[in-house]
Amino acid sequence: MTETSQNTQTNTMRSGILIEAAELRVVSLPLLTPFVISTGTMTSKTFLLLVLKGEGLEGIAEAVMDPTPDYLEETIPGAMGFLRDVLLPSIIGKRFSSPYELEPYLAPWRGHRMSKAVVEMAFWDMWSKSLNVPLKAVLGGVRERVDVGVSLGIASINETLDRVDEAVADGYKRTKLKIAQGHDVKLVAAVRARYPDIKLTVDANTDYGLVDLPTLQALDEFNLDYIEQPLAFDDIHDHAQVQAALKTAICLDESIRSASDTRKALEMRAGRVINIKVGRVGGFAEARAIHDVSAAFGAPVWCGGMLEAGIGRAHNIHLATLANFTKPGDTSSASRYFKHDIINEPLEAVHGEMPVPSNGAGIGVSLNYDYLTTVTDHFEAFSR
Ligand code: OSB
Ligand code: MG
């Protein structure tokens, strides 16, 4: 036996990747244009960035909770505490042979899916790097590039028309208009008048109730591909009533936290399309389970976004290579959001197609530590 094969055998016996340390940062990137949705306005993107370290590898992920609980319940300060006091101490110093082995450390805790996701996603990156394969290979992805559209924040009708012109000229495969009460039917009518045939959707981010059915029925006349999350963030039941009254498909975003939610929603016909955000649902294992349940019901899925910087965008693109992601996702070019990204590789769509990043194994992008340092508001390091 050669020395090399002896070493290999030793490594196999001590199987799994040892998580030796972690770094947690709060990062704040200015947005080129304020992003307005029914729940509020974002002028910068503030997020948690986690780096797991061990065996000479780094696993990196972005968390999607905001500073305040305006999309879902989790917040950056809350997640910092949960990660610092509970999740990170429970995994640092342990070996994991696959991301599935993290489950016993994550599943017992209620909620906190965004906090769990950032740990799980960072380990998927680390694991695929240890196997020297792209993340999409271990996820079971089938595409080299993914179809993407734009998500246009709330603005005046004229400003929105300009932004739609730009998206169409750039070749994006779908245009999503953010809507809110009083900023809906006229806006959609104006865009449809100019573009009768583009793939068009709207996203209400929970701004309507059952009493607003007449407005939703008015939107039903514009041949939209779907109406995203019209009702409350924690509702499934009432969405079924709205879906029964519309020709247009309802797409659920905020309401879907798990594969179990997905099964219930599709059984109840609360919608016909599912928006999967890996960072919202607790990680790739759950995202894939949602993808599979949806496929079993014949419901298409697409990959949503949370204005992520480059690390989160890379994770999203790898996820969207799975077979049932048949509708265009929200991962448009990073340069639409940020002057400088925190990664070295540009993530730019070409004719509405986003190539899967492939600079090395795992997520296929690398942190620009020099720039990252200048946009880091807070830093904490953890080790054994
Ligand atoms: O509902 O999909 C949403 C951004 C922040 C919060 C919620 C949502 C969004 C987006 C942006 O639509 C999608 C993106 O470009 O990342
Ligand atoms: Mg949405």
Side-chain angles (χ1 to χ4, degrees):
M1 198 182 269
T2 65
E3 217 171 68
T4 321
S5 70
Q6 249 170 9
N7 284 341
T8 309
Q9 209 169 43
T10 311
N11 285 336
T12 318
M13 281 163 61
R14 289 163 53 76
S15 72
I17 304 164
L18 175 66
I19 300 182
E20 294 166 23
E23 289 173 1
L24 198 52
R25 289 173 174 80
V26 180
V27 180
S28 205
L29 282 186
L31 286 171
L32 288 171
T33 315
F35 193 77
V36 183
I37 66 176
S38 65
T39 55
T41 300
M42 284 170 80
T43 53
S44 63
K45 167 68 182 173
T46 302
F47 58 96
L48 283 185
L49 183 76
L50 176 67
V51 182
L52 297 178
K53 293 174 182 248
E55 323 241 338
L57 297 165
E58 277 187 355
I60 314 170
E62 273 181 53
V64 300
M65 73 288 288
D66 294 314
T68 49
D70 39 30
Y71 167 77
L72 287 177
E73 301 92 331
E74 286 180 82
T75 63
I76 290 177
M80 286 284 293
F82 184 50
L83 288 163
R84 178 201 301 122
D85 299 339
V86 180
L87 286 189
L88 292 175
S90 77
I91 61 160
I92 291 172
K94 295 199 176 69
R95 289 178 178 276
F96 298 92
S97 297
S98 86
Y100 304 106
E101 293 184 1
L102 287 168
E103 211 241 16
Y105 298 88
L106 304 177
W109 307 114
R110 307 295 166 94
H112 291 92
R113 288 177 181 269
M114 295 171 171
S115 308
K116 294 173 182 178
V118 74
V119 172
E120 200 251 22
M121 292 163 71
F123 191 76
W124 276 87
D125 177 37
M126 202 174 185
W127 185 51
S128 45
K129 283 170 176 164
S130 78
L131 300 170
N132 199 27
V133 297
L135 175 59
K136 72 163 205 177
V138 281
L139 291 173
V142 297
R143 283 183 255 278
E144 298 299 315
R145 52 188 64 77
V146 302
D147 283 356
V148 291
V150 293
S151 174
L152 301 180
I154 293 171
S156 70
I157 291 182
N158 281 337
E159 173 63 27
T160 301
L161 287 169
D162 288 348
R163 292 180 189 176
V164 176
D165 288 346
E166 205 178 321
V168 170
D170 287 346
Y172 280 107
K173 309 259 183 191
R174 173 271 275 149
T175 300
K176 161 167 135 181
L177 306 174
K178 291 291 189 178
I179 57 167
Q181 303 236 17
H183 181 84
D184 40 39
V185 181
K186 270 195 202 156
L187 175 84
V188 175
V191 172
R192 258 300 175 237
R194 187 175 296 192
Y195 294 105
D197 298 322
I198 58 168
K199 188 175 280 210
L200 189 63
T201 73
V202 294
D203 186 357
N205 289 107
T206 76
D207 210 42
Y208 299 84
L210 282 180
V211 292
D212 301 308
L213 191 58
T215 304
L216 299 171
Q217 283 172 319
L219 292 171
D220 204 22
E221 298 307 314
F222 294 101
N223 189 28
L224 300 173
D225 199 44
Y226 49 78
I227 297 173
E228 188 174 341
Q229 195 73 33
L231 309 186
F233 74 94
D234 54 358
D235 173 75
I236 292 178
H237 179 275
D238 287 354
H239 277 95
Q241 287 202 44
V242 172
Q243 181 65 93
L246 300 180
K247 312 183 285 269
T248 310
I250 299 279
C251 168
L252 295 174
D253 174 352
E254 284 90 333
S255 296
I256 301 293
R257 320 284 184 99
S258 65
S260 158
D261 289 343
T262 308
R263 174 184 61 77
K264 291 168 192 164
L266 294 174
E267 270 179 12
M268 289 171 61
R269 300 176 203 271
R272 301 202 298 262
V273 176
I274 303 293
N275 168 334
I276 302 183
K277 294 177 181 169
V278 53
R280 179 189 78 227
V281 303
F284 284 112
E286 199 67 30
R288 222 163 45 170
I290 294 172
H291 165 274
D292 294 351
V293 172
S294 301
F297 277 88
V301 305
W302 56 277
C303 181
M306 292 290 288
L307 313 182
E308 289 93 339
I311 297 293
R313 298 173 113 57
H315 280 277
N316 289 343
I317 299 164
H318 283 269
L319 176 66
T321 64
L322 298 192
N324 191 39
F325 280 84
T326 51
K327 289 189 178 293
D330 267 348
T331 316
S332 57
S333 296
S335 62
R336 296 183 60 252
Y337 300 85
F338 310 111
K339 186 152 189 275
H340 298 292
D341 202 344
I342 57 168
I343 59 170
N344 294 306
E345 301 74 10
L347 291 181
E348 298 300 297
V350 182
H351 305 305
E353 296 182 349
M354 181 65 87
V356 179
S358 58
N359 184 14
I363 54 176
V365 299
S366 55
L367 281 171
N368 175 346
Y369 276 102
D370 288 341
Y371 182 59
L372 181 62
T373 305
T374 69
V375 287
T376 298
D377 293 342
H378 183 81
F379 176 88
E380 291 185 31
F382 304 84
S383 56
R384 283 187 288 171

